[in-house]
Amino acid sequence: MKVRSFSPTLKLPGMKEEEEAEEEEDEELGHAETYAEYMPMKLRIGLRHPDPVVETSSLSSVKPPNVWYRMSIPEETVDRGWLSALQLEAITYAAQQHETFLPNGDRASYLIGDGAGVGKGRTIAGIIYENYLLGRKRSLWFSVSNDLKYDAERDLKDIGAKNIQVHSLNKVRGCPVKKGVIFATYSSLIGESQSGGKYKTRFKQLLHWCGEDFDGVIVYDECHKAKNVCPIGSSKPTKTGLAVLELQNKLPKARVVYASATGASEPRNMAYMNRLGIWGEGTPFREFSNFIQAVERRGVGAMEIVAMDMKLRGMYIARQLSFTGVTFKIEEVPLTTHYIKMYNKSVRLWVAAREKFQAAANLMEAEQRMKKSMWGQFWSAHQRFFKYLCIASKVRRVVQLAREEVKNGKCVVIVFTQAGSPLVLNRKRKSGGLSGSSSDDSESEESDKDDAESDDNDSCMTSQDAVEDAQQMKRDLLDQLEKLAQDLPPNTLDELIDELGGPDNVAEMTGRKGRVVSNDDGSISYESRSELDVPVEILNLTEKQRFMDGEKNIAIISEAASSGISLQADRRVKNQRRRVHMTLELPWSADRAIQQFGRTHRSNQVTAPEYVFLISELAGEQRFASIVAKRLESLGALTHGDRRATETRDLSRFNFDNKYGRNALEIVMKSIVNLDSPLVNPPSDFEGDFYKGILSLDKGETGKFLNRILGMAVQEQNALFQYFSDTLAAVIQNAKKNGRYDMGILEHCKTKKLIRNNKKTAILVQEVNSKKRLFLVYRPNTGKQLKLEAYADIKKKCKKVLSDDAKQHWIDQYKSSAEICAHAYWRGNCKKASVGLQCEVGLRCRTYYVLCGSVLSVWTKVEGVLASVSGTNVKMQIVRLRTEDGQRIVGLIIPANCVSPLTNILSSSDQSQQLAVQQQQKWQQLHPQSLSHVHNT
């Protein structure tokens, strides 16, 4: 890198030493590279995977157990590379784990957390093939769509298992199928059989087919669909989630495989994975609820422990395609004057609607339950309306970008969560505006937490006059809505298709049955999507093929098509143009985000895709980016052992929905209503009195706040959001200074950091980005710093001097930092040292205590010591270290004052080790045939 500037500077007097000492703690440990190249550690068979695959650095520091299982899969499959080395590794560990039993007698399961595009389908097919060859001829394969049955058949055929037949559950009448794979969707698991006969439900039909002592394979593919089995708040577990659990309980000997890149995006979503043995009999957590409480109390660090511990025990594997060559860009789309006027009109209408709804509820003397249901529906419609209004603001820019990319020899994939617009009017209009009913017919989980499920039909006695008044208000609102509708933009999906050349040029893969099209005479009409020679059931697959064959260079996919459809620049297809993946609307969950990323980034591709995230200048739309960022951060921690695993998508800066965001929101609300002094100044460019007015928002609900500000006029919305963002930044900065900021996995760095104070300290700065004026900083005691600093910040604290002027200050601090802490160096004394405690702040060399190994198995002991000595609010911090002799260590940092009591407890009674030895001896007795091959593998 070219050196632009290399200058010594001196710290000017006036900065508080306490602040600087705390700042040092924040930067003492730093983030390292997130990913490491992945190669199987303990298995040496199979050919290299066709594409580069990576694993998070934290997981790569954890060694899986030794392999003692020997596979039965034919040599031809291995030698020809039909299953790659990393796929064979997953199959081997799954089979090995299936040979073990949990303390309650259930067979242990295996979790495949490989990312989209790595080849989970072939891995699953390999597990089924392995068991088929050993005489277990029946398997169940659950997934999210019946279309994926064709992929399952292809995967089995590709690995040489063409004799294994795949049968769709919805096509099976009775139980005539003797062997093979029954493929079913999660929704069919809770369905009723239409075939009549003995078994009225599909669930009972499956149980009968499996038999009582079933020890075959049950695959829960895309298993995040069962995530809501654990109720949150007042919500109820889904029927699907309960059925997934029930099937496992009914078939305790079944070889269960969970497979999903997003299966554990939040710890609560792991409730259906009861065969992992993380909670229950013989573990530190008696119930799943105990596990959840422990993990959530200790923060993201605890979630990282779970992922690493599962790999250590041999029950989990998580790799993903390298994102080398993939580009990510967030493009903020400016708002036109016309759009702002239309948006503000819509805001005024919704404000009027809210007032009329309130008045109507009072007139009707509605009961509380009825009001709750009404407001749930009101705010849900409010949120959807403004969400689609946000999307509409970006259509022109998307069309422009898409045309440019196609002209440049690339092809474009545009992604929606839902392929439609909200129903504003329950009547037909001539124009295709937001009121047009062109919505995706696929199942949607998008409703906001504000939504309330309808309770029992409530009735209330009201006078005829009140009813008439309410009806008049309704008519007034509809009239106002009719006037506004003329200004609303067209349906986004139909407008996009029309502007990009119509259905002949755009491959649409959605759940819609019809669409609005523009005719040559300027009129519009509604037409069915069906074609004469293509049944509706395979229309999306046909459109996909047209795109992959190069007949169409633009594809638009919705949630209905985002699972299972591969659109990458595959070496085997005709259309090998580079994919430009445009996200017009950020998904509402990491599950969906990762699924969408995986549509265009998969194995065997010629080129990696380019990702473009389009976000409007409307501050309220940051709400959607916030949700995705929160889920991606948590997803990285649980599914890859490192919350930064998804940070390359550049969405982390939008994560507001966390404890810091909730704290910032409370401060914002109190300052607006003059209950507390503000933490930051209001935006300087705001016209008028910023603090005038009161927002009726529930304290502490960040998501609700970020939803509701969409319903504010553009200037007020952006100003309030800026004020909130500034407050959040101040809250996070304070948390860092107070040592309470949860930073995720940190790596011990050879360079240490700065201490500045009223005394002068010398630093060395090197410009590394002349455009943004960013500098790399070197300190006398801690060397090269991790964080780049802006010129303006350096200028506030330092002045440029000659090397000779800085030399003595540098030498003094360097020498003192060998043995004297920063407090003693600057003040002459240290509070910790004065009471007999050791203080290492600012030293060149520091001591860290790290607990390694299966931390989860001794969780309650660690938890007890941490709580008694350091308090329940202390977050668990994972670190990754490399010793001078090259040894890699990953584990949990233990505060110095906890080391002695924890050492005593773990030394006196290591029950987990004893239990592991006993289980291993038991397995060896039960399965001597597998162990006889240990030395040959």
Side-chain angles (χ1 to χ4, degrees), residues 749-753 776-779 782-786:
C749 301
K750 293 178 181 177
T751 57
K752 305 295 187 283
K753 79 153 290 247
L776 189 59
V777 178
Y778 295 82
R779 308 294 179 191
T782 57
K784 180 182 175 181
Q785 303 305 288
L786 297 162

Side-chain angles (χ1 to χ4, degrees), residues 148-187:
L148 297 179
K149 179 222 177 200
Y150 303 105
D151 294 71
E153 290 177 323
R154 179 203 63 208
D155 290 329
L156 284 164
K157 182 180 178 182
D158 285 349
I159 66 169
K162 57 186 178 183
N163 292 330
I164 302 179
Q165 299 297 309
V166 182
H167 312 275
S168 290
L169 178 61
N170 58 3
K171 300 289 176 67
V172 176
R173 294 183 176 275
C175 290
V177 178
K178 299 300 181 184
K179 62 181 181 179
V181 177
I182 287 191
F183 189 92
T185 62
Y186 289 103
S187 56

Side-chain angles (χ1 to χ4, degrees), residues 566-764:
S566 304
L567 300 175
Q568 82 273 28
D570 198 308
R571 290 183 174 90
R572 297 168 293 185
V573 302
K574 187 176 180 181
N575 181 5
Q576 295 185 3
R577 292 182 168 206
R578 186 170 193 185
R579 275 46 170 167
V580 180
H581 182 126
M582 296 184 188
T583 299
L584 191 63
E585 154 192 24
L586 284 166
W588 280 54
S589 71
D591 297 355
R592 293 177 175 182
I594 296 299
Q595 289 296 338
Q596 289 185 10
F597 296 148
R599 297 313 100 217
T600 53
H601 182 50
R602 305 180 74 82
S603 290
N604 205 42
Q605 61 193 10
V606 178
T607 55
E610 300 174 19
Y611 291 106
V612 181
F613 300 97
L614 291 108
I615 300 178
S616 74
E617 283 184 338
L618 279 167
E621 199 189 7
Q622 313 290 313
R623 150 66 165 158
F624 308 119
S626 165
I627 289 182
V628 178
K630 177 189 176 185
R631 296 295 193 272
L632 287 178
E633 185 175 88
S634 179
L635 173 71
L638 272 166
T639 61
H640 296 289
D642 190 330
R643 83 186 75 173
R644 294 168 297 113
T646 48
E647 206 169 80
T648 51
R649 290 143 182 82
D650 195 30
L651 292 173
S652 56
R653 62 192 176 103
F654 294 115
N655 188 7
F656 315 117
D657 201 0
N658 52 34
K659 64 180 180 181
Y660 305 111
R662 290 187 287 274
N663 188 7
L665 176 59
E666 183 173 358
I667 294 170
V668 167
M669 300 309 298
K670 285 184 176 180
S671 62
I672 287 177
V673 298
N674 296 318
L675 289 178
D676 206 344
S677 57
L679 198 59
V680 297
N681 294 324
S684 57
D685 58 348
F686 183 79
E687 299 175 6
D689 184 358
F690 179 78
Y691 293 110
K692 189 175 181 180
I694 298 175
L695 294 174
S696 56
L697 296 174
D698 294 335
K699 182 178 68 176
E701 296 191 29
T702 319
K704 189 177 289 187
F705 164 75
L706 292 167
N707 275 338
R708 302 280 175 84
I709 66 171
L710 279 172
M712 298 176 69
V714 175
Q715 187 205 8
E716 286 81 2
Q717 178 183 147
N718 289 357
L720 179 57
F721 186 81
Q722 184 61 53
Y723 184 66
F724 167 72
S725 298
D726 292 344
T727 304
L728 175 58
V731 166
I732 290 175
Q733 186 59 37
N734 287 341
K736 288 181 177 179
K737 288 181 178 179
N738 295 328
R740 295 290 183 183
Y741 188 65
D742 186 11
M743 292 187 67
I745 292 184
L746 299 179
E747 178 144 332
H748 186 281
C749 301
K750 293 178 181 177
T751 57
K752 305 295 187 283
K753 79 153 290 247
L754 160 74
I755 278 291
R756 308 179 195 132
N757 187 268
N758 290 335
K759 289 184 179 180
K760 292 179 181 178
T761 183
I763 63 173
L764 193 65

Side-chain angles (χ1 to χ4, degrees), residues 240-278:
T240 300
L242 292 176
V244 166
L245 272 177
E246 181 66 10
L247 191 63
Q248 294 177 84
N249 293 335
K250 293 285 188 183
L251 303 171
K253 295 181 182 178
R255 289 166 158 80
V256 176
V257 176
Y258 310 112
S260 173
T262 57
S265 57
E266 289 187 354
R268 285 185 177 273
N269 293 344
M270 297 177 70
Y272 57 89
M273 300 183 186
N274 61 336
R275 292 282 192 92
L276 290 175
I278 298 175

Side-chain angles (χ1 to χ4, degrees), residues 858-909:
V858 292
W859 185 288
T860 50
K861 296 179 177 63
V862 176
E863 177 89 336
V865 172
L866 288 179
S868 62
V869 179
S870 298
T872 56
N873 293 326
V874 174
K875 298 300 176 185
M876 288 187 170
Q877 185 66 67
I878 306 296
V879 292
R880 200 166 55 244
L881 307 156
R882 187 187 293 273
T883 61
E884 290 180 354
D885 60 1
Q887 183 183 358
R888 294 160 68 183
I889 297 172
V890 62
L892 173 67
I893 277 193
I894 302 297
N897 57 348
C898 296
V899 171
S900 179
L902 184 59
T903 303
N904 291 335
I905 289 177
L906 295 180
S907 299
S908 60
S909 172

Side-chain angles (χ1 to χ4, degrees), residues 3 47 122 131 157 209 254 289 306 341 420 452 468 494 515 530 580 608 633 652 668 688 710 732 812:
V3 176
L47 303 181
R122 283 201 183 195
N131 282 276
K157 182 180 178 182
W209 185 75
S289 58
V306 173
K341 287 181 179 177
E468 290 178 1
D494 291 323
R515 59 187 160 219
S530 61
V580 180
E633 185 175 88
S652 56
V668 167
L710 279 172
I732 290 175
D812 290 345

